[in-house]
Amino acid sequence: MSPAFDLVVRRARVATASDCFDADIGIVAGRIAQLGAALAPGLREIDAAGRVVTPGGVDAHCHLDQPMAPPVRMADDFDTGTRAAACGGTTTVIPFAAQHKGGSLRDAVADYHRRAEGKAHVDYAFHLIVSDPTPQVLASELPGLIAEGYTSFKVYMTYDDLKLDDGQMLDVLAVAREHGAMAMIHAENADAIEWLTRRLEAAGRTAPRFHAASRPMAVEREATHRAISLAELVDVPILIVHVSGREAVEQIRWARGHGLSVFAETCPQYLFLTAADLGLDDGYQGARCVCSPPPRDKANQQVIWDGLADGLFTVFSSDHAPFRYDAPEGKKPGGQEVAFRHIPNGIPGIETRLALLYSEGVLGGRITLERFVELSSTNPAKAYGLHPRKGTIAIGSDADLVIWDEREFVLSNDQLHHAVDYTPYAGQTLRAWPGMTIAGGEVVWDGRDFHPRAGRGRFLPCGAPTLRPRPR
Ligand code: DUC
Ligand code: ZN
Ligand code: ZN
C-alpha cells in the first residue's frame, strides 16, 4: 500500500493565531491534508519532537530588486531575497511593483514579473506603488489590476519621486473603496522634511545621524493624522506602514477610538534600533541604519512593544530594503560618503524578522505565541487577501511550516543568506531560529543548509482583504 501522505511532520506543537495544540501534520501535494494524532505513515517523515511549529511567515513589506536611480541598486533580487526569507522562516513575500512618475502601472507590473520569474524560492505576491495617479491610472489601470489580483497598493506622502499630494491621495483612496483594495500609507510630511533638511545642511549638519533630526516624530504624527482624516472623508480602511513610535501610535489609537478602520504595521528596526545607531558623532557607519521613518529611542521601543501586545498593531513586517554598505551601488553612492539626504533609505531584515520577534517577543514574555503567529503570518495573509491559503496551519492550507529551535546564539552577518554586507542586528543575542522551513511541502531550510529549487516560488494573485477591525 502506498503511503497516505507525501510528508508527515510528527509530534508538532502546532501554533496558530488562535490556539496551540499537539498534532501530526499530514501533507499531500504541497498542502495540509490532515491534522491529528498518530497519522498514517508518509513517504517522508520528520520528527518535530514536541518543538513549536508555526505557519511560514508572510513578509508583507519587503523590497526586492526594485528599480532605483543609478548608481544605486538593491542588493537582493528574487533569488537572494527569497533565499534569505526561507532561511529565516518566511515562506511568502509581498514586495512592490512601483510605478514611475510619467510611467504606466501595467508596465511596472510586467517588468516586475520579469524580475521575479523563475527566481523565487518561496511564493510571492505583489503590492503596487502608485506614484502618478493620472486619469488613465485611476479609471482603468488600477481598477483592472485590482481585479486581476493586485489588491493592495502603497502610496507615499514623502520622497520627491513618489509622493502624492492630498488631492491625489483622496483620488486613490476612492479607488480603493470602490474596488475593495487595501491602501498602505507611508506617512511622513514631505515639505516639513525638506525644510528641516535644508536648515541642517545650511548648518553643515550632513552626517548620517542628522537623518533622524530631519524626520522627527512630529513629521510622522502630522502625516499619520492627515492620512487618517483623508481616509475618513472617503470612508475607506487604510493601513499605516512602518509606524515608529509614540506620536503615530497615539493618532492610530485616536482613530480606532473614533470607530475608524485604521490598521497599522511596525517593523524590527523600531524595536531593536534607536537613533543612536545612526551615529553619536559625524562618522559614516551610521549610514547602515538610515531608514525612514528613523529609529527613535528606548521609550518609543517600549511603546511599540506595548502596541504589539495590546492589539494596536495588525502586522509585523521587515521593510527589508537591502543596500550594501561598502559599495558604490549602496550606502556610498558612486563610492562617496554622501550627505544624509543622498543615502539610500532602508535596512535589511527579511531573514531576521521572525527570529527577533520570537526571541524577544515570545521567549522574552512580551507577546503570546498566538499573537506572534497573528502578527507575522495570519494577519498579513488576511490583510492582503491570501488567507486561508497562507497564514495558518489548517486542512487545505499550503504546507508552509517553520519548526523552531529554541537555542541562544549571537547573531552575525556570516550566518545570513542575503546579499547585503551587514546586518544592523549583528551582536544581538537571539534565543531561537528556524530549525526547519517547509514551503509547499518541501524542505527549503534544514537548520544548516538551504535547499534551492529555481522557480519553486509561485506568483500568487491576491483576493479581497479579509481583515476585520478589532472591536474597540
Ligand atoms: N523607507 C521606506 O519607506 N521604504 C524603504 C526603506 C525605508 O527606509
Ligand atoms: Zn515606506
Ligand atoms: Zn518600505
Side-chain angles (χ1 to χ4, degrees):
M1 213 174 67
S2 60
F5 302 104
D6 299 332
L7 171 65
V8 177
V9 178
R10 291 213 184 267
R11 297 199 293 156
R13 179 73 185 150
V14 174
T16 71
S18 55
D19 304 289
C20 292
F21 55 93
D22 297 318
D24 298 343
I25 305 169
I27 295 164
V28 175
R31 297 204 171 199
I32 297 171
Q34 208 171 329
L35 292 164
L39 294 189
L43 201 55
R44 182 171 178 191
E45 299 255 336
I46 291 167
D47 186 6
R51 285 176 294 170
V52 167
V53 178
T54 59
V58 177
D59 194 344
H61 185 160
C62 53
H63 303 265
L64 301 175
D65 200 13
Q66 195 173 311
M68 298 275 119
V72 176
R73 189 160 41 81
M74 286 197 167
D76 283 315
D77 62 8
F78 277 82
D79 170 21
T80 62
T82 61
R83 175 180 74 191
C87 298
T90 288
T91 51
T92 303
V93 296
I94 319 183
F96 297 85
Q99 181 199 21
H100 301 290
K101 283 197 198 289
S104 134
L105 202 47
R106 278 210 175 269
D107 289 352
V109 170
D111 171 64
Y112 212 45
H113 273 292
R114 282 191 292 274
R115 290 167 186 263
E117 195 67 51
K119 281 190 167 180
H121 302 283
V122 300
D123 290 350
Y124 59 96
F126 294 165
H127 303 295
L128 308 172
I129 289 175
V130 182
S131 65
D132 197 358
T134 59
Q136 156 76 3
V137 166
L138 294 169
S140 166
E141 284 202 333
L142 188 50
L145 287 165
I146 293 169
E148 289 166 35
Y150 307 87
T151 56
S152 49
F153 58 81
K154 184 174 177 190
V155 289
Y156 287 79
M157 300 170 81
T158 186
Y159 296 135
D160 286 344
D161 49 344
L162 295 169
K163 71 183 180 200
L164 304 189
D165 65 28
D166 292 354
Q168 292 173 314
M169 293 271 292
L170 288 162
D171 282 340
V172 295
L173 289 175
V175 174
R177 177 183 157 84
E178 190 179 344
H179 298 276
M182 179 64 83
M184 310 161 72
I185 302 188
H186 180 130
E188 288 185 298
N189 179 318
D191 287 352
I193 294 167
E194 180 59 27
W195 186 83
L196 289 166
T197 300
R198 287 211 194 124
R199 298 238 316 189
L200 289 161
E201 287 173 343
R205 299 178 159 192
T206 59
R209 69 186 166 116
F210 295 108
H211 173 77
S214 75
R215 306 174 102 100
M217 285 204 289
V219 158
E220 185 186 5
R221 180 228 302 150
E222 185 280 328
T224 301
H225 187 85
R226 186 156 34 104
I228 289 167
S229 304
L230 298 177
E232 182 184 2
L233 295 177
V234 176
D235 186 22
V236 67
I238 52 170
L239 190 147
I240 309 281
V241 294
H242 45 51
V243 171
S244 74
R246 176 183 301 284
E247 308 250 341
V249 163
E250 283 172 355
Q251 298 309 309
I252 294 160
R253 286 201 198 282
W254 176 88
R256 297 259 182 90
H258 285 73
L260 302 173
S261 281
V262 176
F263 301 108
E265 172 202 79
T266 194
C267 313
Q269 48 270 39
Y270 308 116
L271 296 173
F272 295 93
L273 303 179
T274 67
D277 291 300
L278 273 65
L280 295 172
D281 58 22
D282 285 354
Y284 200 71
Q285 294 271 323
R288 297 166 190 241
C289 294
V290 165
C291 61
S292 295
R296 307 298 183 184
D297 60 17
K298 290 270 176 208
N300 279 285
Q301 290 181 348
Q302 187 56 48
V303 170
I304 300 296
W305 278 117
D306 292 344
L308 288 169
D310 70 17
L312 185 274
F313 286 109
T314 323
V315 172
F316 185 74
S317 309
S318 69
D319 198 6
H320 180 78
F323 300 102
R324 291 172 66 82
Y325 172 66
D326 211 357
E329 74 281 9
K331 294 282 187 178
K332 296 180 182 169
Q336 303 297 312
E337 295 190 355
V338 296
F340 72 81
R341 85 145 79 214
H342 302 295
I343 299 171
N345 272 218
I347 60 177
I350 203 165
E351 191 168 356
T352 44
R353 172 184 73 116
L354 294 175
L356 285 166
L357 189 64
Y358 194 106
S359 295
E360 287 301 315
V362 179
L363 299 179
R366 294 178 164 100
I367 59 171
T368 63
L369 190 50
E370 290 90 336
R371 183 80 176 123
F372 167 83
V373 173
E374 181 176 56
L375 285 160
S376 62
S377 182
T378 314
N379 275 354
K382 287 182 175 176
Y384 304 117
L386 293 172
H387 187 266
R389 177 169 179 186
K390 301 294 182 185
T392 192
I393 297 178
I395 292 170
S397 296
D398 283 356
D400 294 347
L401 305 168
V402 181
I403 305 176
W404 285 90
D405 274 350
E406 295 182 7
R407 62 185 165 87
E408 209 166 281
F409 67 100
V410 176
L411 183 70
S412 77
N413 196 49
D414 352 308
Q415 294 157 2
L416 300 179
H417 299 79
H418 58 193
V420 187
D421 55 355
Y422 72 98
T423 168
Y425 309 109
Q428 176 90 29
T429 299
L430 293 180
R431 296 155 77 174
W433 192 263
M436 182 173 285
T437 307
I438 295 171
E442 288 181 33
V443 175
V444 282
W445 163 250
D446 66 13
R448 217 191 61 177
D449 293 315
F450 170 64
H451 299 273
R453 183 164 73 72
R456 173 194 286 118
R458 298 152 297 178
F459 174 71
L460 305 166
C462 295
T466 57
L467 206 53
R468 298 278 165 263
R470 285 205 163 224
R472 277 190 279 159

